[in-house]
Amino acid sequence: MNAPIAALPTEPTNVIFTGVAGTGKTYRLLELQKRYDDSIAVCWDSWRIQQISHYGWCDVVCAVLLLEDRLMTVPEMMQHPLIIDKAAANKRNENINQTLWVQLNTHTHPDSTTVNSAQRSANYYFDKTETSQWYLLDELKPILTEQLSELLSLYDDSARHHYHQTHTVSRSCLVSFHQSYGYDEFVEGIRPRINAQTGQMQYEIQQGAFLALCAKAASDPEHRYAMLIDEINRANTAQVFGELMSVIEPSKRAGGATPMSVRLAYSGRQFMVPSNVDIYATMNTQDHSLAVLDMAFRRRFDFVTCYPDASLLSVLKDDAGKEVDLAQMMLSINQRLTALCGEQAQLGQSYFMGIDDIRQLAKRLYRQIVPQIMAFISLHRGEAYLLQSLHQILYGDNSVSYSLLYHPDALNYAADESHASLFAAEAYEQRHSAESGLFAQAFVAVAENPSLSLESRSIYLTAAPYQQLYSVSSEDPYDAR
């Protein structure tokens, strides 16, 4: 299993997560981002009080009676958190009980026999008992609940949790490198801006993503900040980092053993990377079309290899209770892929995750897993060996009863005559490319036809063909029908 991410570092850290596709490298960046970004927990009370300041005292009293949904005296209302917050919002700590009495009496039903106030508003919501216990008029509760929904939500138990999720102090910056990503976006560059007063376009030097993060970090030395770069080898890293290549080393940061500053290309100012900035990146080792990191850049980073993690994969069952072990499937395919095409041809666990049933497995194999294997074969072995190599990677030296690849017997193994057209060679040739012709037509039908009944006796709706990808079954595959 890949090692879990530890606590935040205490020293400048540069790390590149490397590995084949699907091994959770980007997921690690997102998990790291959560560690650097903090919820604004301490601001919840002040934020809630600020929201209450937009409501009048009558609204607040109505909300208290809606929340409590019972008879209440004025002294009881005064102890309610909402009343306390409203008093804080209005910066008042005296005569709150008089304010409540005024609101209750003014907005009492005109036909009330227990309230003698002559000053009645046209808008009435309350009445009280002979024992001075107040309540909301039942017919108005639905209307008030809708009108005051936002105010009421502030005192819902889930409101604080939602606030913490949506209000954070960001101490990270996540960017994705691509072929046209450059120094201007990462460090600094000249960008156009419309002058608000004259309406004229003018050009000015603006900070890129990394410099903007460093500026925040320099003004907040008590916290650590993170620059997160996805797919770092999709851009020309030497060009993107420019002169910063020399100063991202931990020892050359501000406060380091040999601190060093550089003059920035556009602004000309001296710049030094703060010691509380960490740099994390991901790098795909499979795609040979991506830029190769030069040795000078590599020397400034620690490399952490992310391996395919079979422990994250589940076991599927068909209708007969037969199991398909996705972990064993991935391990077996990767073992044969490594032997035939090299270690960098392995499949990561994400190719096998999110699969809940046999039909989804067939779809994933047909649309993602097998095409990826075919791409590796074409790259390492050549088109001439495609079918032979694909069979070897999927099944090794085993003789199989029901292959995902072309198999004459499988073409005739449909549920009944009503499904026969799904497997007919003529219809198949009309719907699928020549590449899809490598697959058994019945397997393609299961992978691509959600309407195909699960009661179908197609062998590809059972565990048997998929078990053959990682084991030799001693059972007759017809028993799995």
Side-chain angles (χ1 to χ4, degrees), residues 334-446:
N334 278 343
Q335 184 178 17
R336 295 189 287 263
L337 265 170
T338 299
L340 200 64
C341 301
E343 192 175 68
Q344 295 305 321
Q346 294 183 89
L347 300 173
Q349 67 272 7
S350 67
Y351 282 94
F352 300 85
M353 295 177 72
I355 301 173
D356 299 319
D357 56 40
I358 298 296
R359 190 192 302 283
Q360 289 182 11
L361 175 59
K363 182 178 179 180
R364 186 72 60 85
L365 282 163
Y366 176 62
R367 294 190 176 179
Q368 294 186 32
I369 296 173
V370 175
Q372 183 71 12
I373 294 172
M374 291 165 62
F376 289 137
I377 294 171
S378 298
L379 178 66
H380 294 279
R381 305 275 293 176
E383 294 287 343
Y385 297 94
L386 182 60
L387 185 57
Q388 175 188 350
S389 299
L390 180 57
H391 194 281
Q392 185 176 348
I393 289 169
L394 292 177
Y395 300 108
D397 298 326
N398 299 336
S399 58
V400 295
S401 300
Y402 282 92
S403 171
L404 308 184
L405 307 179
Y406 180 83
H407 192 292
D409 292 339
L411 299 180
N412 302 318
Y413 192 72
D416 49 48
E417 293 183 359
S418 65
H419 287 126
S421 61
L422 290 173
F423 313 116
E426 181 178 356
Y428 172 80
E429 293 297 335
Q430 292 175 356
R431 293 198 311 270
H432 301 285
S433 65
E435 185 178 271
S436 298
L438 287 168
F439 297 97
Q441 295 169 25
F443 167 67
V444 173
V446 168

